[in-house]
């Protein structure tokens, strides 16, 4: 079975600083996709960033970037210049056979 | 383009009652998913549709949950009879039939069973 593990239930960071959220996964697939989703209190799941496993280059979306370590099955999310609007639950997810498997989530708090 | 629509946003029922949730995916999205998200956990897939056919319902508690997607567009998820442990947020998502394609989520329905 495919599993995704987020070992940090909660994280906090000062506004304008950088924070890294951890994620490890387990898959037997050779080709797969990994995602980070953000879920604010409104409950709407919003895609933050996507990584294709066959690409060696780490994905980047503005202030969000990932550190994808395929051999270690690690997929961490770095948020630079943290903003108050970044406060939310963050979920790591892997895609297999068109189905997403989510981790338990990390609650991120931004301190002004 | 309009996003995934879900209704109602909130629902409170007593145990053993029935409830139904509705989802309207993004136009042109052939694949539709229903997830259950219990408080403090990540979403868990209940059922996946491709057009109006079921692709995967292995985690759907079929003794009480049912879902349908008539005409390959809108979908309804029903619980009958509800149990206390069904209290959760029910999320609907849709995607285009592309490899690795992003799933777009609706705002969810928060169900409370008392």
């Amino acid at each position: 079975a495919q599993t995704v593990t987020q070992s940090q239930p909660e994280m906090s960071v000062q506004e304008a600083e950088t924070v890294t959220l951890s994620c490890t996964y387990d898959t037997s697939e050779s080709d797969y996709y990994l995602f980070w989703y953000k879920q604010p209190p409104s409950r709407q799941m919003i895609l933050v960033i996507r990584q294709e496993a066959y690409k060696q280059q780490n994905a980047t979306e503005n202030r969000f970037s990932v550190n994808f370590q395929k051999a270690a099955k690690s997929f961490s999310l770095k948020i630079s210049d943290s903003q108050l609007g970044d406060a939310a639950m963050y979920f790591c997810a892997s895609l297999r056979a068109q189905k997403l498997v989510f981790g338990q989530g990390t609650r991120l708090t931004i301190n002004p | 383009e309009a996003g995934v629509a879900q209704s109602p946003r909130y629902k409170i029922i007593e145990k053993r009652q029935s409830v139904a949730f509705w989802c309207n995916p993004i136009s042109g999205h052939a694949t539709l998913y229903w997830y259950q998200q219990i408080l403090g956990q990540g979403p868990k897939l209940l059922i996946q549709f491709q057009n109006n056919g079921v692709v995967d319902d292995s985690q759907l508690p079929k003794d009480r949950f049912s879902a349908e997607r008539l005409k390959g567009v809108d979908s309804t998820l029903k619980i009958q009879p509800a149990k206390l442990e069904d209290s959760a947020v029910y999320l609907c998502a849709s995607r285009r039939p592309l490899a690795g394609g992003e799933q777009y989520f609706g705002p969810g329905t928060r169900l409370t069973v008392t």
Side-chain angles (χ1 to χ4, degrees):
Chain A
Q2 193 161 253
T3 59
V4 177
T5 303
Q6 293 178 249
S7 59
Q8 305 155 315
E10 297 184 357
M11 292 283 285
S12 63
V13 64
Q14 290 295 125
E15 191 176 3
E17 295 191 346
T18 296
V19 63
T20 298
L21 308 184
S22 302
C23 173
T24 57
Y25 61 93
D26 187 16
T27 181
S28 57
E29 304 291 322
S30 59
D31 190 19
Y32 51 91
Y33 297 81
L34 298 167
F35 302 83
W36 278 98
Y37 278 87
K38 169 184 177 181
Q39 187 178 42
S42 66
R43 302 196 304 268
Q44 186 95 36
M45 296 285 278
I46 302 164
L47 179 67
V48 175
I49 200 164
R50 180 177 75 175
Q51 176 76 43
E52 296 160 24
Y54 67 87
K55 289 188 176 179
Q56 293 184 334
Q57 186 174 7
N58 289 324
T60 313
E61 288 288 341
N62 301 314
R63 297 182 295 106
F64 299 87
S65 61
V66 299
N67 184 4
F68 174 47
Q69 301 289 328
K70 190 171 184 178
K73 295 184 178 177
S74 170
F75 183 60
S76 61
L77 174 69
K78 185 172 82 171
I79 306 174
S80 304
D81 185 25
S82 298
Q83 300 176 1
L84 295 178
D86 295 333
M89 285 291 292
Y90 285 81
F91 291 95
C92 178
S94 66
L95 182 70
R96 175 181 175 273
Q98 300 184 41
K99 290 180 277 290
L100 283 172
V101 175
F102 288 88
Q104 294 288 82
T106 297
R107 181 176 302 280
L108 179 63
T109 302
I110 311 296
N111 300 313
Chain B
E1 60 184 355
V4 177
Q6 288 188 249
S7 67
R9 292 296 309 276
Y10 303 89
K11 190 73 177 180
I12 301 173
I13 61 172
E14 296 182 350
K15 60 183 179 184
R16 291 187 290 275
Q17 288 186 326
S18 63
V19 64
F21 312 127
W22 173 82
C23 172
N24 181 239
I26 293 172
S27 177
H29 284 197
T31 310
L32 185 146
Y33 307 82
W34 283 102
Y35 291 87
Q36 180 192 59
Q37 185 178 21
I38 293 173
L39 185 65
Q41 299 182 17
K44 183 187 81 171
L45 179 68
L46 290 175
I47 189 167
Q48 176 188 353
F49 290 94
Q50 180 73 22
N51 296 308
N52 61 349
V54 175
V55 174
D56 185 350
D57 63 356
S58 58
Q59 299 201 76
L60 187 73
K62 298 180 187 65
D63 58 334
R64 297 183 302 105
F65 286 65
S66 65
E68 61 181 7
R69 190 182 183 197
L70 299 177
K71 300 180 182 179
V73 181
D74 293 6
S75 177
T76 56
L77 176 69
K78 298 179 181 177
I79 308 175
Q80 182 179 11
K83 293 185 175 181
L84 295 177
E85 58 261 37
D86 298 333
S87 294
V89 174
Y90 291 84
L91 296 165
C92 180
S94 69
R95 65 185 286 269
R96 295 188 191 91
L98 297 172
E102 174 187 353
Q103 291 187 21
Y104 294 81
F105 285 81
T109 298
R110 181 181 295 279
L111 173 67
T112 302
V113 182
T114 63

